């Protein structure tokens, strides 16, 4: 059952990764989201926050709000037939005043991409999903990805304001 669930997540991530992003893109300018039919997405480059700084931000209850996105427990495996796969826990930590009711993001690295959805994440509570990706692109995941927000909802904020809170965090 567990293996079938991982395969489903893997396949759904691969299918979703081919869709066109239409909201916002965050990260370094190496990769940008494809423009929608009428207008291009608004692109912002948010700073990368280290895990030490993230802990300090969480402890001080800073007025500035963030939605930290990061991964933990990263593993790369190669089968005897030579196929490469990588698995990780993709985590979201909203340092906000209200709960994150919905977040749909794509993470785009130079050679691989992944999609994930998060629902009803309380403020200051880390929520994660275990994902597995296939391909040689697993070796490029050590770089900072572009974060494309397809949907971001927090009570009292517009979608653009919510998406502007997304920040990649490095875990050490």
């Amino acid at each position: 059952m567990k293996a079938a669930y991982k395969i489903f997540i893997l396949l759904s991530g691969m299918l979703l990764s081919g869709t066109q992003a239409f909201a916002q893109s965050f990260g370094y300018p190496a990769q940008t989201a494809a423009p929608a039919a009428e207008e291009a997405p608004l692109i912002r480059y948010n700073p990368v926050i280290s895990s030490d700084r993230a802990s300090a931000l969480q402890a001080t209850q800073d007025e500035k709000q963030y939605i930290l996105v990061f991964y933990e427990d990263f593993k790369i495996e190669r089968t005897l037939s030579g196929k490469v796969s990588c698995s990780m826990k993709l985590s979201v930590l909203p340092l906000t005043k209200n709960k994150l009711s919905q977040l749909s993001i794509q993470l785009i690295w130079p050679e691989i991409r992944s999609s994930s959805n998060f629902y009803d994440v309380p403020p200051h509570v880390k929520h994660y999903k275990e994902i597995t990706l296939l391909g040689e692109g697993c070796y490029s995941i050590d770089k900072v990805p572009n974060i494309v927000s397809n949907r971001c909802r927090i009570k009292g904020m517009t979608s653009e304001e919510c998406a502007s809170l997304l920040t990649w965090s490095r875990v050490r």
Side-chain angles (χ1 to χ4, degrees), residues 51-138:
S51 60
D52 300 334
R53 173 119 166 86
S55 300
L57 288 171
Q58 188 173 7
T60 61
Q61 301 283 336
D62 195 6
E63 284 189 29
K64 178 81 171 127
Q65 299 183 69
Y66 298 95
I67 301 172
L68 301 179
V69 181
F70 54 95
Y71 66 81
E72 300 174 296
D73 300 335
F74 180 74
K75 295 178 212 157
I76 295 181
E77 298 173 349
R78 184 179 290 268
T79 64
L80 291 174
S81 63
K83 294 185 179 183
V84 177
S85 69
C86 51
S87 60
M88 69 189 87
K89 290 181 181 177
L90 180 62
S91 301
V92 170
L93 175 61
L95 301 177
T96 58
K97 295 174 185 165
N98 295 321
K99 80 174 180 178
L100 178 63
S101 56
Q102 185 176 6
L103 178 64
S104 175
I105 57 173
Q106 281 187 8
L107 299 176
I108 303 173
W109 286 278
E111 298 175 25
I112 199 166
R113 61 177 57 198
S114 175
S115 299
S116 279
N117 295 314
F118 295 90
Y119 300 98
D120 297 324
V121 182
H124 302 276
V125 175
K126 180 176 73 170
H127 187 73
Y128 71 90
K129 298 211 175 199
E130 292 187 13
I131 63 171
T132 301
L133 304 171
L134 290 177
E136 297 289 328
C138 287

Side-chain angles (χ1 to χ4, degrees), residues 31-47:
Q31 297 276 340
T32 57
E38 293 91 25
E39 57 187 63
L42 176 63
I43 299 175
R44 291 193 182 117
Y45 300 104
N46 290 354

